[in-house]
Amino acid sequence: MQLSIKYDAKGIKELSIAGEVETDEETAILLKYINDCLEERFNIVFLDANIVNKIIIDRLYMLQEYHQSEIHVNKQYLYAYLHKLGILCKYVNRGRRKSEGLNENSLEFEYKLSNEEVYSFLLDIYRIYGYDYTNYQIDSIMRRIKISMLRQGSVNFNDFKTAVINDESLFEQMFINFSINTTEFFRDPEVFAEIRESILPYLDSFTHIKIWCAGCSSGQEPYSLAILLDEMNMLDKVQIYATDINPYVIQEAKNGLYPLAGVEKQINNYRMAQGCKGFMEYFKLRGNYMEISEKLKKNILFFQHSLVGSGILNEFQLILCRNVLIYLEPILQKNILANFYDSLDLSGFLILGKSEGILNNNGGELFYSHQQPDKKIYRKKN
Ligand SMILES: C[S@@+](CC[C@H](N)C(=O)[O-])C[C@H]1O[C@@H](n2cnc3c(N)ncnc32)[C@H](O)[C@@H]1O
């Protein structure tokens, strides 16, 4: 991270931040700069950051509420994140090419990418950046490449490919576009009701319980589990590993800040999952966003981990991997299911997404359905 202070054309002080704010030390330096600027009106500009931590968000909220500072953001991901938390900011779009006249439909029409050229591009990405997308569903990846081209204002696949291979920040934007992070608290509430009714009572006989939430996105799924465990008085003996390939959603999950907008749906999910308190009791209200309670955070370890190539995690009694396999080719689904088998303890549970299953992947050799098959809850065969 690098900080600089200058005055804009209107004579307003501007604090610019280059790079991501990654460490506690960098956060402390940024806060000190902000404090030193408070004497006069100033604006703050994030040039490269895709995400910021909770301490900085709280400070941005304070600056906006009490100091009338404008927040300018150059990266779409951070802009969308701050916006959904109700922190007003301007998308400044510095240093990018224009893409007027293009839209997803026109791009769809113009580009007929072949499977071979996309595959060769994915191999280059794997070789250079270490992320293996070669066995993700090709149609979905193709569409995401086209969206990335559109956002970069690029009209030629070969030019785009060369640019991404040579410029890590362009890869970073494409990586973000590859990631579909849709999630919510108590998604598919009947599955959480089943966890509450038939899985947790069984796991309660263990003295220590390890749960892996693989592909946890911005954290709503592991926090939903933590709420269930808290209501069953089991939280203290549980360690939840919550992992995702995408480091930006992992930081969102660690922040534990969620928009108030749309909370009714999550409250309804919680009720349908047979939640026995008030959903909002688990949050502190801050402006337009809400902050998850600290007691739910302390037994969750969030970290970046890819199901393709980051190595195996072991000795879990329960693994949730919901709405992740659906984006992968069958060969990769099969490998991941075999890894989950190895990662589970004897008779451990595996939960997949409602539209996923093990049957097309020879998973029946490794797992069997627990209760009704439509809940996609399985048990390891011993
Ligand atoms: C649609 S979200 C599902 C979130 C949550 N499990 C749910 O069902 O609400 C899929 C998540 O899988 C993550 N993902 C995709 N490929 C992955 C991989 N190879 N390893 C780990 N996570 C991955 C994405 O980054 C994304 O956050």
Side-chain angles (χ1 to χ4, degrees), residues 74-112:
N74 201 23
K75 289 286 169 85
Q76 231 161 22
Y77 193 91
L78 182 59
Y79 173 76
Y81 182 51
L82 294 179
H83 233 258
K84 81 181 170 197
L85 296 179
I87 293 180
L88 300 178
C89 51
K90 284 190 182 159
Y91 181 47
V92 288
N93 200 9
R94 287 180 194 182
R96 284 179 34 156
R97 286 196 276 157
K98 290 198 169 60
S99 55
E100 282 120 63
L102 289 174
N103 60 45
E104 280 178 35
N105 292 335
S106 64
L107 208 65
E108 190 80 49
F109 177 70
E110 277 179 40
Y111 293 113
K112 292 277 174 263

Side-chain angles (χ1 to χ4, degrees), residues 136 179-183 187 215 221 244-245 306-307 322-323:
Y136 277 56
S179 194
I180 298 166
N181 307 118
T182 316
T183 188
R187 180 180 192 174
E221 189 174 68
D244 201 285
I245 190 173
S306 172
L307 292 165
R322 304 193 312 152
N323 308 300

Side-chain angles (χ1 to χ4, degrees), residues 132-133 136 175 178-185 187-188 212-222 243-247 249 305-310 320-328 332 336 353 356:
D132 184 359
Y133 287 101
Y136 277 56
F175 168 84
F178 278 6
S179 194
I180 298 166
N181 307 118
T182 316
T183 188
E184 62 189 20
F185 284 96
R187 180 180 192 174
D188 299 321
W212 181 12
C213 202
C216 67
S217 189
S218 37
Q220 289 89 330
E221 189 174 68
T243 62
D244 201 285
I245 190 173
N246 180 338
V249 290
H305 174 278
S306 172
L307 292 165
V308 192
S310 288
L320 286 90
C321 182
R322 304 193 312 152
N323 308 300
V324 181
L325 297 187
I326 197 171
Y327 300 107
L328 313 178
L332 189 50
I336 292 174
E356 297 163 328

Side-chain angles (χ1 to χ4, degrees), residues 88 120 157 202 241 269 344 378:
L88 300 178
S120 133
F157 178 64
Y202 168 79
Y241 289 66
N269 281 353
L344 279 171
Y378 303 96

